[in-house]
Amino acid sequence: MRITTYRSNCWAYVSLTKRLFTTALLAGSVLLTTAAISRADTVAPAAPTLADAWLETLPQLTEPVSWSHAYALLAADQERFQQERRYLVEELNTLIISAQAAGNTLYRQTIAAWRDTLRSLEGQPLRSPERLDLLKLGTNLREAPLLDRVIHWGACEIPTWVEVWGLQGVTRTAWQPGMTLDTLAHGLNARAFTSIDYVHLVTPQAEVIRRGIAAWNHEDTPLAPGSRIAIELPTRQGLMGALPFPGTTHELDIINQRLPGVLAAQLPGDQCTQWQAQ
């Protein structure tokens, strides 16, 4: 992964809100009294927001931003998702021991691959699992987070892969125009989705969508480049008691519920340009 990080001078810039406010004042200046103008001059500058930061950084780019693969990390999310990833590693360790005790080599290898991949993410840049790009913020500038609450923001080149967390482990396969979950499954290792009813699709915009892939609940699902797909591990109810992880209770639910969120906190590409405020 290549991350190019720049320092932003956004703190020295007048915020977008202040600029718009100033423009409005100028347009209606004939209606203002000298006293009103004097009072406006004493108003403290508005604190810069992430929208301001995006506007400042755009001129630094030589290529248009792929807003579908833009991101930002809020300070409140940084430690939370690091802790969530470490917690999942420990829960996966429990499932590995359970599968090994049951002699289930397939599931033991699958869960071990998931665990090792999560461990490899230690120290990697994160994102907040929500849209914080300029196009989204521009629809409601009042909702733009203050810049002092943002760790970094950036955009990735559109990747050429989709990532699959399946029974084959964790693999990336080449994205093709018109790719769907069906075409992806046909090109994967035959065991990747064996006996799986649901997957969680994580889009490049960090949206998590639960989709059916079995014959009885199949849903057509297009895939964008940079998508991540995680299978939903079968539970006791789904296998009528034939659980591949004997002795476990809540661990499967924890993995199924929390892994998609951890994946949504990963960057939507490998070649990314990133900024942070001075």
Side-chain angles (χ1 to χ4, degrees), residues 46-253:
T49 68
L50 180 57
D52 299 318
W54 274 118
L55 288 172
E56 182 203 341
T57 52
L58 285 179
Q60 302 176 22
L61 301 176
T62 58
E63 299 290 338
V65 174
S66 298
W67 294 114
S68 60
H69 292 73
Y71 62 91
L73 175 63
L74 303 179
D77 290 334
Q78 185 174 35
E79 185 60 29
R80 178 165 68 95
F81 282 104
Q82 289 176 344
Q83 292 178 348
E84 190 84 342
R85 181 191 57 78
R86 295 172 189 140
Y87 178 64
L88 285 182
V89 168
E90 296 305 315
E91 295 299 324
L92 289 171
N93 279 331
T94 299
L95 295 183
I96 291 170
I97 294 172
S98 176
Q100 186 169 356
N104 194 321
T105 302
L106 172 60
Y107 276 93
R108 179 183 61 79
Q109 292 175 342
T110 296
I111 300 305
W114 288 17
R115 177 201 61 190
D116 294 345
T117 302
L118 285 176
R119 281 177 173 170
S120 72
L121 298 177
E122 181 72 35
Q124 293 296 319
L126 296 173
R127 67 175 295 176
S128 292
E130 60 180 295
R131 282 194 59 184
L132 292 168
D133 58 272
L134 183 58
L135 296 185
K136 178 65 174 179
L137 297 178
T139 62
N140 190 349
L141 289 174
R142 292 184 178 182
E143 298 297 322
L146 295 177
L147 194 56
D148 62 0
R149 299 177 183 175
V150 178
I151 301 296
H152 56 238
W153 65 97
C156 301
E157 297 177 11
I158 297 178
T160 59
W161 48 261
V162 294
E163 185 174 281
V164 181
W165 293 60
L167 295 179
Q168 86 294 345
V170 182
T171 57
R172 286 182 174 181
T173 188
W175 179 83
Q176 301 292 335
M179 177 177 274
T180 66
L181 272 176
D182 290 338
T183 57
L184 172 66
H186 292 155
L188 287 174
N189 184 310
R191 72 182 189 182
F193 294 157
T194 301
S195 300
I196 300 301
D197 291 336
Y198 289 97
V199 299
H200 292 274
L201 166 64
V202 181
T203 72
Q205 295 84 25
E207 182 181 8
V208 177
I209 307 170
R210 188 173 185 248
R211 305 294 285 177
I213 62 169
W216 64 272
N217 67 350
H218 175 269
E219 298 174 274
D220 291 327
T221 307
L223 299 177
S227 296
R228 290 179 167 93
I229 299 95
I231 65 170
E232 190 170 288
L233 292 170
T235 63
R236 185 182 303 276
Q237 292 78 13
L239 291 180
M240 300 299 291
L243 190 67
F245 305 104
T248 60
T249 53
H250 64 285
E251 288 86 357
L252 280 171
D253 288 335

